[in-house]
């Protein structure tokens, strides 16, 4: 039987299915805090000597990805919380699906690059400047975009081939592959396995690689001096916190089949809103270099204003 697609638009059920002014203001405040925090991180790094260090170079890119990724989801969520009808056209839904997975993928590979940077800095300190030169850092960012593009384009092409005959209500606040599969009017068992392989298993594999790298880092810290060990632990603890906030909910959602009933949309808030909002705090609260750089940049800005 030939696939038919009778759906021209989808309707979001949303987080709790009906309008809540309290949620609207909560997500608006979270989004503004996210924009402000990541803007300060990006400004501090680009306007200081920190941009020359690979760790902060990747952190700057991570902040940009946090803003970009969240901006594919939260503005529409805020609009839908205030709207009487939460509809989205088929084409816009597919665009949001592609953009969200592309940007989230880039963010994941940046986290991998940051882990690799810390591994080289602690395990091979004498070769650090040779291995983590600017050319290699640029190459890692380009590879992040290339791998993420192929992941998201494969996912998009798979969804575009699926027939949507109705109903058109998405039990979510964003166009994602799992809630969309529940609307497909054919057996989705094989497609569900492909989604788990494309998203769930990749997330698990990357998470295990990150865990292994941080275990190796912690093991090698035994030979460092106490001050060096404390500084490295402070930096690594920030990375580990961000990795856990992003990957644990992500793995929970994408390793389970689409047919199962779970709390996907509530749990996804952790990596669409909470983690990007907390990243600036996590990376600055225990980082003396960032605090000093922020003070210097702030003093430059205020000095220019006084002139």
């Amino acid at each position: 039987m030939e696939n038919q697609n009778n759906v021209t638009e989808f309707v979001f059920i949303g987080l709790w299915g009906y309008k809540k002014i309290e949620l609207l203001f909560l997500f608006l405040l979270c989004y503004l805090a996210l924009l402000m925090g990541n803007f300060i991180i990006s400004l501090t790094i680009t306007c200081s000597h920190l941009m020359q260090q690979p760790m902060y170079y990747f952190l700057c890119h991570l902040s940009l990805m946090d803003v970009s990724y969240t901006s594919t989801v939260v503005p529409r969520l805020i609009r839908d919380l205030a709207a009487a009808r939460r509809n989205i056209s088929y084409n816009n839904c597919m665009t949001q699906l592609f953009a969200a997975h592309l940007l989230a993928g880039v963010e994941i590979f940046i986290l991998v690059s940051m882990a690799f940077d810390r591994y080289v800095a602690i395990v091979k300190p004498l070769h650090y400047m040779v291995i983590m030169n600017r050319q290699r850092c640029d190459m890692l960012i380009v590879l992040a975009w290339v791998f993420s593009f192929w992941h998201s384009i494969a996912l998009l092409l798979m969804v575009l081939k699926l027939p949507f005959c109705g109903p058109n209500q998405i039990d979510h606040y964003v166009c994602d592959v799992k809630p969309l599969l529940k609307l497909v009017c054919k057996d989705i068992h094989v497609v569900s396995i492909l989604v788990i392989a494309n998203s769930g298993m990749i997330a698990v594999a990357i998470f295990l690689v990150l865990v292994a790298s941080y275990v190796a880092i912690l093991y090698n810290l035994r030979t460092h001096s106490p001050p060096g060990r404390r500084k490295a632990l402070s930096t690594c603890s920030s990375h580990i916190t961000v990795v856990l906030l992003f990957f644990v909910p992500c793995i929970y959602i994408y390793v389970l089949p689409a047919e199962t009933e779970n709390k996907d949309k509530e749990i996804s808030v952790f990596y669409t809103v909470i983690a990007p909002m907390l990243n600036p705090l996590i990376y600055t609260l225990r980082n003396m270099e960032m605090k000093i750089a922020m003070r210097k940049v702030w003093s430059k800005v205020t000095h220019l204003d006084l002139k």
Side-chain angles (χ1 to χ4, degrees):
M1 186 177 73
E2 186 180 347
N3 285 350
Q4 294 182 348
N5 192 350
N6 301 325
V7 174
T8 58
E9 69 170 17
F10 296 101
V11 178
F12 292 123
I13 293 176
L15 276 171
W16 281 277
Y18 54 91
K19 181 170 64 176
K20 283 193 173 182
I21 299 299
E22 297 88 347
L23 278 178
L24 188 153
F25 285 111
L26 174 63
F27 281 110
L28 182 60
L29 286 173
C30 288
Y31 186 56
L32 291 175
L34 181 152
L35 291 176
M36 181 65 71
N38 284 288
F39 172 76
I40 291 171
I41 291 282
S42 300
L43 181 68
T44 301
I45 294 172
T46 53
C47 295
S48 69
H49 68 283
L50 294 179
M51 194 64 176
Q52 305 305 316
Q53 300 182 38
M55 184 179 78
Y56 295 104
Y57 173 80
F58 291 128
L59 180 56
C60 185
H61 280 276
L62 183 69
S63 291
L64 292 174
M65 284 305 102
D66 279 338
V67 171
S68 302
Y69 171 59
T70 307
S71 295
T72 65
V73 177
V74 177
R76 177 170 283 277
L77 170 61
I78 292 169
R79 191 209 71 169
D80 289 343
L81 284 168
R85 193 162 183 266
R86 309 179 184 100
N87 61 312
I88 183 171
S89 70
Y90 177 86
N91 289 338
N92 286 343
C93 183
M94 295 302 110
T95 302
Q96 187 184 52
L97 171 70
F98 174 77
H101 275 266
L102 172 67
L103 297 169
V106 174
E107 186 161 350
I108 284 171
F109 284 109
I110 289 174
L111 288 173
V112 173
S113 300
M114 294 174 80
F116 176 66
D117 170 71
R118 289 300 85 201
Y119 176 85
V120 175
I122 292 168
V123 179
K124 298 181 181 292
L126 298 178
H127 302 95
Y128 178 71
M129 296 309 297
V130 175
I131 296 173
M132 297 305 298
N133 56 56
R134 180 48 60 91
Q135 186 179 1
R136 183 163 280 112
C137 292
D138 290 338
M139 184 191 70
L140 288 170
I141 295 296
V142 170
L143 287 175
W145 280 97
V146 171
F147 289 142
S148 302
F149 174 80
W150 285 113
H151 154 74
S152 50
I153 200 70
L155 202 63
L156 177 66
L157 291 174
M158 183 170 58
V159 174
L160 287 173
K161 291 179 181 178
L162 298 174
F164 296 95
C165 313
N168 67 339
Q169 287 193 323
I170 300 176
D171 188 16
H172 215 288
Y173 59 89
V174 62
C175 280
D176 200 7
V177 61
K178 280 186 68 179
L180 283 171
L181 287 182
K182 294 178 181 179
L183 305 180
V184 173
C185 49
K186 76 168 191 178
D187 182 65
I188 60 167
H189 181 69
V190 174
V191 180
S192 183
I193 292 172
L194 291 175
V195 169
I196 292 170
N198 179 281
S199 300
M201 290 300 101
I202 290 175
V204 170
I206 292 173
F207 180 69
L208 291 176
V209 168
L210 289 171
V211 169
S213 69
Y214 285 117
V215 168
I217 287 169
L218 294 174
Y219 179 79
N220 278 275
L221 281 176
R222 296 173 309 139
T223 58
H224 287 236
S225 63
R229 195 182 305 143
R230 280 194 296 271
K231 184 180 178 181
L233 282 172
S234 177
T235 305
C236 288
S237 64
S238 300
H239 293 323
I240 292 167
T241 304
V242 171
V243 165
L244 290 174
L245 275 174
F246 194 91
F247 274 90
V248 172
C250 208
I251 289 169
Y252 170 82
I253 288 172
Y254 289 107
V255 296
L256 296 176
E259 301 94 325
T260 57
E261 293 294 329
N262 48 45
K263 300 287 185 181
D264 279 6
K265 59 184 178 181
E266 290 87 357
I267 291 171
S268 66
V269 173
F270 277 95
Y271 60 80
T272 57
V273 182
I274 295 173
M277 181 184 67
L278 293 179
N279 281 356
L281 284 175
I282 293 168
Y283 281 115
T284 55
L285 282 178
R286 299 180 64 185
N287 191 321
M288 191 54 64
E289 276 187 305
M290 274 295 296
K291 290 178 182 177
I292 293 169
M294 285 170 69
R295 281 196 291 267
K296 286 181 178 178
V297 171
W298 179 253
S299 64
K300 283 182 186 177
V301 172
T302 53
H303 184 66
L304 288 172
D305 287 341
L306 290 172
K307 283 186 175 181

